[in-house]
Amino acid sequence: MTTVIKLGGSLLEPQASPVLLAALARVARQTDLVLVHGGGKALSALLRRLDTPTEFRQGLRVTTPAVLEAALMALAGETNTGLVAALQAAGLRAVGLTGCDAGLLRARRIPELGAVGGEPAADAALCRTLLAAGYTPVIASLGM
């Protein structure tokens, strides 16, 4: 059995707590674990630093081309790399990915929200390969 856990970005700010990391390591020792993470706070902070306006509609961020570029930097870069490093330090063999890698995550674009997707679908083949080799996939919530 595989356990998939979605970590909201607020759990990772300013960094994941040692208690959370230890709990994730315990879960990974008992079952195959796949982590998917957000990073909304990191993205908002980066957008402020870049002086890029952001808008929310019904709780979802409108993702313009400029916001998407920042999302790639924040989620696939800073947040994913930091989480992978912390998990490695906690004893997991973590591998950082995005949902774009090997077409892991696909979604249908919601036009009024820009590059936001709905109706997600996953292709778990890469995750199964990594899990079989003893790795914990850590996936930034970006998709095709």
Side-chain angles (χ1 to χ4, degrees), residues 22-143:
L24 293 171
R26 278 193 307 277
V27 171
R29 283 191 291 274
Q30 297 170 4
T31 185
D32 288 338
L33 177 64
V34 175
L35 296 172
V36 179
H37 69 80
K41 285 186 176 186
L43 175 55
S44 292
L46 178 57
L47 289 169
R48 282 191 298 277
R49 287 195 308 271
L50 296 172
D51 198 27
T52 301
T54 188
E55 174 189 354
F56 289 86
R57 293 187 193 153
Q58 297 178 346
L60 298 174
R61 188 186 311 266
V62 176
T63 305
T64 63
V67 171
L68 179 58
E69 184 177 353
L72 291 168
M73 288 187 276
L75 276 66
E78 178 184 2
T79 303
N80 190 273
T81 303
L83 180 56
V84 167
L87 291 166
Q88 288 282 142
L92 290 180
R93 294 176 65 200
V95 175
L97 304 163
T98 73
C100 298
D101 295 313
L104 279 171
L105 303 174
R106 295 185 175 275
R108 185 175 310 247
R109 186 178 295 259
I110 303 172
E112 62 272 17
L113 295 176
V116 173
E119 302 176 35
D123 178 351
L126 178 58
C127 288
R128 285 188 195 102
T129 299
L130 290 169
L131 290 166
Y135 293 97
T136 299
V138 180
I139 306 168
S141 56
L142 299 159

